[in-house]
Amino acid sequence: MTVDSYFWNQPGKWPEWEVFAYNVPTISKKSQSMKWGTQPLHWYFTSALPRALLCATLFVPIALLQAAPTLELIFRHITSPWTLFQISKRTVLLLVPPLAFIILYSFLPHKELRFIFPALPMLNAIATMPLTRYLAPFLDGPSPKKSKETSRTSSSWGGGYVEATCAVLCLVASALVTIVFAYASALNYPGGYALAKVHDHFGCPASNATINRKLSVHIGNIAAINGVTRLGERTECYIYSKKENLNPTDLTAFDVVISELESLGVDGFQLLFKEEAFERIDFVGMKMLTKPKIFVYARQALVPAS
């Protein structure tokens, strides 16, 4: 707190408390983060976790059972299936911290997947418990030293290879989906790509004989949260602004405007280019569909006549 108070030049500055007070609703005020959208109470469990864990989502509840269900176990207990559902107290204890973490965050109206990232490693670790049992035939191989009794009680039909094969296929499917998601994520930074294209288009205006000055660039909200970072700026050639709540007339003070607006609504500017971003996956055509999300405008004087 002392360090934060010094650098913010505000006595008693406690950033963690300010973030908490800003996001957590109270009796007297709503959560300020609701301005960025809200999701239902169950969203983390029905949407975020399945997308984040993929096939591991199936193995977390299986880990709660004392014995991972196999074809042999199911056949043995077909007359008393409830005996298969004996809960492992050890797994329950491991599951309580991440589960409590996610439940607490579920009460916040504004939800994002990144908020529950700290819980994901433990959930993945729990998912490996039944997965390890299923993969045992592939990992250990046949062991001639095992007694007949051990083999009879620990293996399933086909020596466990049926379950092991299903587990491997599940891991392969997760890997493929992860690759698809990673490619889709790469298309989710139109602001960063747009800013890079502005730099490529104008070069360094300050050293250009025609312009001979730094260009002022306004970065809109959507561009700012979708790829624009300090690392992508060229402050020796451009002046950047992320000032919010500007009306169209205020934007005329800039040379270049990176906006989410399809029409800037002011004279003297020309659309330089559009930057597309991920929209959805077309499973029928097996392709990624994109849609223009960022629009870059420049003063007409800066755009050569075509």
Side-chain angles (χ1 to χ4, degrees):
M1 185 186 294
T2 303
V3 174
D4 288 322
S5 298
Y6 173 79
F7 282 104
W8 285 93
N9 197 24
Q10 296 180 26
K13 185 74 170 181
W14 187 8
E16 290 79 9
W17 169 253
E18 293 196 13
V19 170
F20 181 84
Y22 186 86
N23 287 280
V24 177
T26 62
I27 298 176
S28 59
K29 71 173 183 67
K30 293 183 178 180
S31 169
Q32 297 301 305
S33 61
M34 291 175 64
K35 298 174 183 176
W36 284 268
T38 62
Q39 289 78 27
L41 188 69
H42 57 77
W43 185 81
Y44 283 128
F45 294 97
T46 58
S47 179
L49 281 177
R51 286 184 288 117
L53 297 176
L54 299 177
C55 279
T57 309
L58 302 174
F59 294 111
V60 171
I62 293 176
L64 288 171
L65 304 178
Q66 284 190 359
T70 62
L71 293 175
E72 185 180 9
L73 283 175
I74 293 172
F75 180 76
R76 281 186 194 175
H77 298 79
I78 197 164
T79 56
S80 55
W82 58 88
T83 58
L84 285 172
F85 298 97
Q86 297 181 20
I87 302 300
S88 168
K89 294 180 180 179
R90 174 186 160 202
T91 307
V92 171
L93 292 176
L94 291 174
L95 191 59
V96 166
L99 197 62
F101 182 88
I102 296 171
I103 290 174
L104 285 174
Y105 266 86
S106 295
F107 288 101
L108 293 179
H110 177 66
K111 299 176 178 64
E112 294 184 32
L113 174 60
R114 62 189 176 95
F115 294 167
I116 61 169
F117 276 175
L120 298 184
M122 186 168 285
L123 291 174
N124 275 311
I126 292 170
T128 62
M129 297 167 68
L131 192 60
T132 302
R133 297 178 216 156
Y134 288 141
L135 293 177
F138 285 162
L139 298 175
D140 301 334
S143 177
K145 296 182 179 179
K146 288 183 178 179
S147 65
K148 291 183 179 180
E149 182 64 26
T150 302
S151 178
R152 187 164 55 250
T153 57
S154 62
S155 65
S156 60
W157 292 352
Y161 283 98
V162 174
E163 294 85 0
T165 301
C166 292
V168 169
L169 291 175
C170 194
L171 291 175
V172 171
S174 285
L176 293 175
V177 172
T178 299
I179 293 172
V180 174
F181 281 4
Y183 180 66
S185 297
L187 301 175
N188 264 333
Y189 301 96
Y193 294 133
L195 184 62
K197 287 184 178 179
V198 168
H199 294 160
D200 291 339
H201 182 84
F202 290 107
C204 188
S207 59
N208 185 305
T210 304
I211 302 175
N212 197 29
R213 64 180 176 83
K214 292 183 178 182
L215 291 185
S216 57
V217 180
H218 183 266
I219 300 167
N221 289 337
I222 301 300
I225 64 176
N226 287 282
V228 173
T229 68
R230 295 280 188 183
L231 298 176
E233 295 180 355
R234 297 178 60 185
T235 54
E236 74 280 7
C237 303
Y238 298 86
I239 301 171
Y240 305 95
S241 172
K242 296 180 182 178
K243 192 173 182 180
E244 301 181 33
N245 302 319
L246 298 181
N247 58 49
T249 306
D250 296 330
L251 295 175
T252 59
F254 300 94
D255 298 306
V256 179
V257 177
I258 303 177
S259 173
E260 64 273 16
L261 301 175
E262 294 187 32
S263 176
L264 200 57
V266 292
D267 295 329
F269 281 82
Q270 183 174 328
L271 179 65
L272 199 59
F273 57 83
K274 306 174 184 178
E275 189 62 40
E276 298 197 346
F278 174 78
E279 178 69 11
R280 62 183 179 87
I281 299 176
D282 179 9
F283 291 100
V284 177
M286 297 299 292
K287 60 182 179 180
M288 298 282 182
L289 298 182
T290 59
K291 177 183 178 181
K293 296 287 182 72
I294 298 296
F295 304 85
V296 178
Y297 302 89
R299 287 185 180 277
Q300 289 180 343
L302 297 172
V303 181
S306 56

